[in-house]
């Protein structure tokens, strides 16, 4: 490991890989009865369809998990988070009981392996002109999401704020990694060292580690393809704040100090 990069490790401290320093807010609703979970713990519920519930996301949040039950109609979920995340087809959803306890972990736990779950399907966005109208308090670009299955009464959806939490479980001896909840859907632009196609975030991390002038990287966390883009940068967001911008589907990582 070179000296420039001595501080980029994988994080061993539980729940630190996707921490936020400021409080985030999630506004959610569901077509049915809503239950909301953060890092595996039930956080709130709302039995009234079409009423937005507001939840605070405390530091340490890695996974948002939402359940929607509706015994008469197909359940759907809609929501937005104050860092710009919205419900869209990058969420994962299932309605199958057999998908819930894979690896003996609960579906809402950060360590749960949701790789068998399908990407959500989307109905329409939260706008006045659409058939369900505009639900107040939720951003216009949020989409009503569910699974493709018909005739189900329970819908379970997850949004991992970073795919590090799963990697960390596998690579926990490797130390520490730096991405905050605010770095999800962000990237540092115009500072390229090199670009790669990789299989997971660990491979991107290792590429950066192997380049003494690599100070941060952008990783394409949301991809339906087996390869993801890995962009090494010659600066950090602190050194070049103007080029640190919102970029859906990418997470920005940098060394610890
Ligand atoms: C959540 O709802 C409140 C009240 O309507 C609103 O002020 C806030 O901007 C909303 N936040 C998000 C992330 O949509
Ligand atoms: C939400 O409320 C609006 C206004 O009352 C209504 O038009 C719309 O159909 C409702 N949407 C759902 C999903 O119930
Ligand atoms: C859903 O249920 C209805 C009524 O029981 C049935 O006719 C239909 O074939 C079902 N659809 C699917 C996809 O299972």
């Amino acid at each position: 490991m070179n000296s420039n990069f001595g501080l980029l490790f994988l994080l061993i401290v539980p729940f630190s890989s996707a921490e936020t320093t400021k409080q985030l807010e999630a506004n959610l609703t569901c077509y049915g009865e809503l239950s909301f979970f953060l890092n595996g713990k039930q956080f709130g519920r709302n039995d009234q369809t079409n009423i937005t519930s507001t939840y605070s996301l405390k530091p340490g949040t890695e996974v948002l998990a939402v359940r929607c039950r509706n015994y008469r109609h197909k359940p759907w979920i809609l929501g937005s988070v104050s860092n710009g995340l919205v419900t869209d087809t990058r969420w994962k959803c299932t309605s199958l009981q057999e998908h819930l306890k894979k690896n003996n972990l609960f579906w809402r736990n950060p360590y749960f392996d949701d790789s068998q779950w399908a990407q959500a399907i989307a109905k329409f966005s939260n706008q006045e002109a659409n058939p369900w109208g505009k639900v107040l308090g939720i951003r216009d670009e949020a989409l009503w999401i569910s699974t493709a299955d018909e005739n189900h009464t329970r819908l379970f959806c997850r949004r991992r704020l970073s795919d590090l939490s799963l990697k960390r479980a596998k690579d926990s001896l490797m130390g520490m990694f730096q991405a905050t909840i605010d770095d999800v859907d962000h990237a540092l632009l115009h500072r390229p060292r090199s670009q790669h196609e990789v299989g997971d975030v660990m491979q991107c991390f290792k590429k950066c580690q192997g380049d003494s002038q690599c100070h941060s990287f952008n990783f394409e966390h949301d991809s339906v393809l087996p390869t993801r883009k890995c962009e090494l940068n010659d600066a950090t967001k602190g050194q070049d704040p103007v080029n640190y911008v919102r970029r859906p589907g990418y997470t920005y990582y940098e060394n610890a100090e």
Side-chain angles (χ1 to χ4, degrees):
M1 182 176 281
N2 66 67
S3 57
N4 279 337
F5 232 84
L7 293 168
L8 180 60
F9 318 104
L10 273 179
L11 200 51
I12 343 180
V13 185
F15 302 126
S16 300
S17 64
E19 276 196 7
T20 179
T21 49
K22 63 179 183 210
Q23 189 115 322
L24 293 178
E25 187 181 72
N27 290 355
L28 292 162
T29 192
C30 117
Y31 188 41
E33 304 163 20
L34 173 83
S35 296
F36 181 57
F37 305 86
L38 290 174
N39 286 346
K41 294 211 169 58
Q42 176 142 9
F43 208 73
R45 56 181 296 163
N46 176 6
D47 291 346
Q48 279 179 282
T49 296
N50 222 347
I51 301 291
T52 303
S53 300
T54 299
Y55 303 107
S56 294
L57 276 55
K58 298 221 160 44
T61 303
E62 289 183 82
V63 169
L64 308 182
V66 185
R67 181 183 67 201
C68 183
R69 279 192 302 211
N70 187 331
Y71 295 112
R72 298 176 58 200
H73 303 284
K74 179 167 175 169
W76 295 82
I77 290 167
L78 177 78
S80 53
V81 182
S82 54
N83 68 350
L85 285 180
V86 295
T87 45
D88 59 20
T89 55
R90 289 179 281 158
W91 286 59
K92 291 206 149 186
C93 296
T94 191
S95 45
L96 300 177
Q97 186 65 34
E98 61 263 34
H99 276 169
L100 299 183
K101 285 201 171 176
K102 208 160 183 287
N103 303 342
N104 294 319
L105 290 173
F106 291 110
W107 70 278
R108 53 199 191 216
N109 188 297
Y111 297 108
F112 179 85
D113 178 2
D114 58 18
S115 56
Q116 299 306 306
W117 291 27
Q119 304 296 134
I121 62 153
K123 197 181 186 74
F124 31 63
S125 61
N126 186 35
Q127 286 170 20
E128 208 63 67
N130 286 332
W132 284 359
K134 161 94 179 154
V135 178
L136 294 178
I138 298 181
R139 292 162 63 111
D140 289 7
E141 67 266 34
L143 303 173
W144 283 99
I145 59 168
S146 189
T147 63
D149 309 335
E150 297 300 331
N151 291 347
H152 62 274
T153 55
R154 296 191 309 163
L155 169 66
F156 304 86
C157 292
R158 285 165 58 91
R159 177 68 157 95
R160 201 177 278 287
L161 296 170
S162 146
D163 72 352
L164 280 186
S165 48
L166 191 63
K167 298 301 169 198
R168 193 192 56 232
K170 290 177 184 158
D171 301 301
S172 61
L173 296 178
M174 292 195 61
M176 191 150 128
F177 219 116
Q178 264 322 82
T180 70
I181 198 172
D182 299 318
D183 295 321
V184 177
D185 286 336
H186 282 75
L188 182 66
L189 301 183
H190 311 306
R191 303 304 306 237
R193 289 280 305 158
S194 59
Q195 296 194 19
H196 309 272
E197 296 281 335
V198 297
D200 62 31
V201 70
M202 278 306 298
Q203 291 172 15
C204 196
F205 160 69
K206 284 173 184 157
K207 296 269 185 207
C208 191
Q209 216 180 13
D211 176 348
S212 63
Q213 299 304 309
C214 177
H215 294 291
S216 68
F217 61 85
N218 309 319
F219 176 71
E220 186 186 22
H221 64 259
D222 276 318
S223 172
V224 289
L225 301 174
T227 59
R228 287 120 183 275
K229 294 195 174 59
C230 161
E231 302 170 351
L232 309 189
N233 305 319
D234 69 358
T236 63
K237 65 178 176 184
Q239 291 165 340
D240 191 355
V242 170
N243 283 317
Y244 177 70
V245 297
R246 183 165 150 73
R247 187 181 182 195
Y250 283 77
T251 303
Y252 166 87
Y253 297 87
E254 71 176 36
N255 62 358
E257 286 179 13

